[in-house]
């Protein structure tokens, strides 16, 4: 049994298999996919909570989270050039460590992308409801959030969150060209809004607000809560989740061994620069303690302080567009991982059935889209969002360890991109990930282990018997 559950895929045989998916993505499309996944929740939602956790040193927290992702991105880029096949960390783990590890990470990524999308859909709904209120359009309160989301407020179902996930699912199901075009337009709008905000507000920065720059140190407890640069980095890490979804697009990318590494690294660098500039401006205009009253919409704290309320509608639109692209890329990545697992026999064939007209795994896309939409509409996700972080960090660790393994065991394989500084780059990636995992609470670990136990049950009940490698 030991050998069968650790059976591996051969890179050379993978490279010779034909894909039914349509290749249309170029470097700019992949860069925009990455930016679409990254810039959104971090700027429009998490900066408030992050500023209260680290003070003005939040910019350092973003830098640490970004560097952690940067080391992981270099490892992803090498794997993407080595094996330009759909499936991201799932496929890479199948090559390096074997089937059961691949299944665990694939199962883990499906949860990550679902929860990330559902969590962002709730934030998206909050901005939409606020924007509609500004125009005098009021949705029934009971349909604006899941039950128990806000203490003292009666809510039953988050209708806007439910509907936006279904709309995005439809876009993804009708083809990669449509997904790409919608994402590219939205990313241009989103970056335009961020740059407009920077240009209009930078003149109001008062350097006195940056003192003390690091009020809570690297790691401390304040009022019974973990504070400081490292806990804030663990929080804002959520902002970078999704860049790995770029590597899920390998079979829809033109010349993937060159294009994928460029797209992954460019999107991360551009997003990190914008994050650091934004956090320095925001904490330079509003004293970090002032974000306590603006946790759901921290940018509004800045606009109230500067008196530029005319910008609020534009920023709200930017936030809505920004979070739409995050959901789009996460759901896209999820559909391609479930497609890869089904094609390998680890999931039922239903998930890899290709639509004859659209050339997409439409059935699997709709299945997970509906489940995610219901989660966003019905479940109070505040307590579950940290599960997304632990899932991503686990995937980063395995991909980084996989590079160490492949360099040692198969050093002569053709690589379109080689991560610099190996073995130090993957080791630093693993080290940073472990530090950020340490910042998560124990309840997150328990929920994560329960999800893995469910996955292992599914693997031994179905996946192991139906694996295509087993048939071979």
């Amino acid at each position: 049994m030991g050998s069968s559950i650790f059976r591996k895929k051969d890179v050379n045989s993978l490279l010779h298999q034909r894909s039914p998916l349509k290749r249309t993505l170029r470097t700019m499309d992949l860069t925009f996919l990455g930016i679409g996944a990254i810039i959104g929740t971090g700027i429009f939602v998490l900066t408030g909570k992050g500023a209260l956790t680290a003070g003005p040193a939040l910019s350092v927290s973003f830098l640490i989270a970004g560097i952690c992702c940067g080391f992981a991105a270099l490892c992803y880029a090498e794997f993407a050039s080595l094996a330009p096949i759909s499936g991201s960390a799932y496929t890479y783990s199948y090559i390096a460590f074997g089937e059961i590890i691949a299944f665990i990470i694939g199962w883990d990524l499906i949860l990550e992308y679902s929860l990330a999308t559902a969590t962002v859909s709730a934030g998206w709904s909050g901005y939409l409801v606020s924007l509609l209120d500004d125009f005098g359009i009021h949705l029934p309160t009971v349909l604006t959030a899941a039950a128990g989301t806000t203490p003292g407020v009666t809510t039953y179902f988050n209708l806007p969150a439910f509907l936006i996930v279904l709309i995005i699912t439809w876009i993804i199901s009708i083809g990669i060209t449509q997904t790409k075009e919608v994402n590219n337009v939205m990313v241009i709008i989103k970056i335009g809004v961020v740059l407009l905000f920077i240009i209009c507000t930078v003149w109001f920065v008062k350097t006195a607000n940056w003192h003390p720059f690091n009020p809570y140190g690297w790691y401390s407890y304040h009022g019974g809560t973990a504070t400081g640069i490292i806990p804030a980095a663990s929080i804002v890490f959520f902002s970078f989740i999704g860049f790995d979804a770029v590597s899920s697009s390998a079979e829809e990318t033109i010349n993937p061994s060159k294009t994928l590494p460029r797209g992954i690294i460019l999107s991360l660098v551009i997003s990190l620069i914008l994050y650091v500039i934004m956090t320095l401006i925001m904490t330079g205009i509003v004293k970090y303690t002032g974000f306590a009253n603006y946790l759901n919409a921290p940018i509004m704290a800045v606009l109230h302080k500067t008196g530029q309320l005319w910008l609020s509608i534009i920023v709200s639109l930017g936030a809505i567009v920004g979070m739409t692209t995050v959901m789009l890329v996460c759901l896209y990545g999820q559909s391609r991982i479930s497609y890869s697992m089904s094609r390998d026999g680890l999931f039922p064939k239903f998930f890899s059935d290709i639509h004859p007209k659209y050339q997409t795994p439409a059935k699997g896309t709709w299945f997970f889209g509906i489940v995610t939409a219901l989660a966003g509409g019905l479940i109070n996700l505040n307590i579950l969002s940290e599960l997304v972080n632990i899932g991503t960090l686990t995937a980063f660790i395995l991909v980084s360890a996989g590079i160490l393994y492949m360099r040692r065991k198969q050093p002569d394989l053709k690589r379109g991109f080689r991560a610099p500084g190996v073995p130090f780059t993957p080791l630093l990636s693993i080290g940073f990930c472990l530090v950020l995992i340490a910042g998560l609470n124990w309840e997150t670990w328990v929920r994560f282990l329960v999800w893995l136990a469910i996955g292992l049950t599914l693997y031994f009940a179905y996946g192991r018997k139906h694996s295509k490698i087993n048939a071979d």
Side-chain angles (χ1 to χ4, degrees):
M1 174 180 152
S3 60
S4 68
I5 64 173
F6 287 103
R7 53 201 169 198
K8 297 175 185 177
K9 283 190 170 189
D10 177 60
V11 175
N12 293 317
S13 63
L14 280 175
L15 295 175
H16 288 102
Q17 70 182 27
R18 286 182 59 80
S19 173
L21 302 177
K22 190 176 178 183
R23 291 190 186 273
T24 64
L25 300 174
R26 301 178 185 275
T27 300
M28 189 189 79
D29 300 317
L30 293 175
T31 304
F32 275 33
L33 265 182
I35 294 171
I38 299 166
I39 292 182
T41 316
I43 285 176
F44 297 112
V45 179
L46 292 177
T47 39
K49 187 178 179 184
L52 291 173
T53 306
L58 175 63
S59 54
V60 181
S61 300
F62 266 110
L63 202 56
I64 288 171
I67 290 170
C68 169
C69 290
F71 286 128
L74 292 170
C75 298
Y76 267 89
E78 178 167 328
F79 250 129
S81 73
L82 180 76
I85 309 295
S86 277
S88 186
Y90 157 75
T91 299
Y92 308 154
S93 297
Y94 217 145
I95 293 166
F97 302 117
E99 187 172 276
I100 191 166
I101 304 298
F103 184 94
I104 287 169
I105 210 64
W107 181 248
D108 161 33
L109 287 172
I110 285 170
L111 174 72
E112 173 204 323
Y113 289 137
S114 276
L115 277 180
T117 304
T119 304
V120 173
S121 74
W124 183 95
S125 171
Y127 268 97
L128 180 70
V129 169
S130 173
L131 185 64
L132 291 176
D133 285 343
D134 290 341
F135 286 102
I137 303 168
H138 305 291
L139 295 179
T141 304
V142 293
L143 294 178
T144 58
T149 299
T150 309
V153 179
T154 303
T155 51
Y156 298 120
F157 187 72
N158 197 330
L159 184 62
F162 175 77
L163 292 176
I164 188 59
V165 174
L166 290 185
I167 291 167
I168 290 168
T169 301
W170 172 72
I171 292 169
I172 295 168
S173 71
I174 62 171
I176 186 60
T177 302
Q178 288 77 6
T179 304
K180 172 186 78 174
E181 287 169 355
V182 169
N183 183 70
N184 288 357
V185 170
M186 287 188 171
V187 167
I188 290 167
I189 294 169
K190 172 166 66 172
I191 291 177
V193 169
V194 170
L195 292 176
L196 179 66
F197 177 86
I198 290 170
I199 292 164
C200 291
T201 58
V202 68
W203 320 103
F204 294 88
V205 169
K206 290 187 173 69
T207 54
N209 287 326
W210 289 333
H211 302 290
F213 185 75
N214 186 13
Y216 304 117
W218 288 94
Y219 199 110
S220 60
Y221 275 88
H222 187 79
T225 307
T227 52
I229 290 172
I230 298 300
S234 296
I235 292 168
V236 300
F237 179 80
F238 186 90
S239 313
F240 293 96
I241 285 167
F243 84 83
D244 53 323
V246 174
S247 59
S248 301
S249 65
E251 290 176 39
E252 290 154 294
T253 298
I254 297 166
N255 191 15
S257 63
K258 298 283 187 188
T259 313
L260 276 172
R262 290 177 196 151
I264 291 169
I265 293 164
L266 270 174
S267 61
L268 193 61
V269 169
I270 292 168
S271 301
L272 179 57
I273 290 168
L274 288 174
Y275 271 146
V276 171
I277 292 170
M278 283 287 286
T279 50
L280 285 171
I281 288 174
M282 290 172 71
T283 55
I285 294 171
V286 178
K287 189 73 176 171
Y288 67 91
T289 50
F291 288 103
N293 299 321
Y294 294 90
L295 278 181
N296 293 326
I299 281 182
M300 295 305 168
V302 177
L303 299 181
H304 280 121
K305 186 78 172 176
T306 61
Q308 295 171 310
L309 294 178
W310 61 272
L311 251 181
S312 63
I313 290 176
I314 297 172
V315 167
S316 292
L317 283 169
I320 288 166
V321 168
M323 288 191 268
T324 302
T325 61
V326 174
M327 292 184 281
L328 182 80
V329 179
C330 284
L331 274 179
Y332 166 75
Q334 182 197 56
S335 69
R336 296 317 186 251
I337 286 169
S338 59
Y339 162 75
S340 298
M341 294 178 76
S342 172
R343 186 175 61 181
D344 293 337
L346 303 183
F347 272 9
K349 183 179 177 296
F350 170 89
F351 294 99
S352 57
D353 280 347
I354 298 295
H355 193 285
K357 178 181 176 183
Y358 300 130
Q359 293 179 277
T360 62
K363 292 179 185 175
T365 301
W366 272 108
F367 176 86
F368 283 113
I370 290 167
V371 169
T372 303
L374 287 169
L378 290 169
I379 301 170
N380 174 11
L381 293 155
N382 294 335
I383 56 170
L384 295 178
S385 57
E386 278 198 355
L387 264 178
V388 181
N389 291 1
I390 196 171
T392 307
L393 289 163
T394 306
F396 285 5
I397 288 170
L398 279 173
V399 170
S400 302
I403 290 298
L404 288 171
Y405 179 86
M406 294 300 286
R407 283 283 188 99
R408 188 170 164 220
K409 292 292 185 181
Q410 299 188 55
D412 299 325
L413 276 175
K414 185 185 175 188
R415 292 162 169 86
F417 173 87
R418 294 178 74 88
V422 176
F424 301 107
T425 299
L427 288 173
L428 283 168
S429 172
I430 293 167
F432 270 100
C433 289
L434 290 172
V435 167
L436 293 181
I437 284 177
L440 301 172
N441 61 47
W442 66 269
E443 293 97 337
T444 301
W445 276 100
V446 173
R447 294 180 189 119
F448 183 61
L449 292 172
V450 168
W451 178 254
L452 289 187
I454 295 168
L456 284 172
T457 304
L458 183 63
Y459 172 74
F460 284 108
Y462 181 90
R464 183 167 164 262
K465 298 172 190 169
H466 293 85
S467 167
K468 292 287 174 66
I469 293 183
N470 192 32
D472 295 341

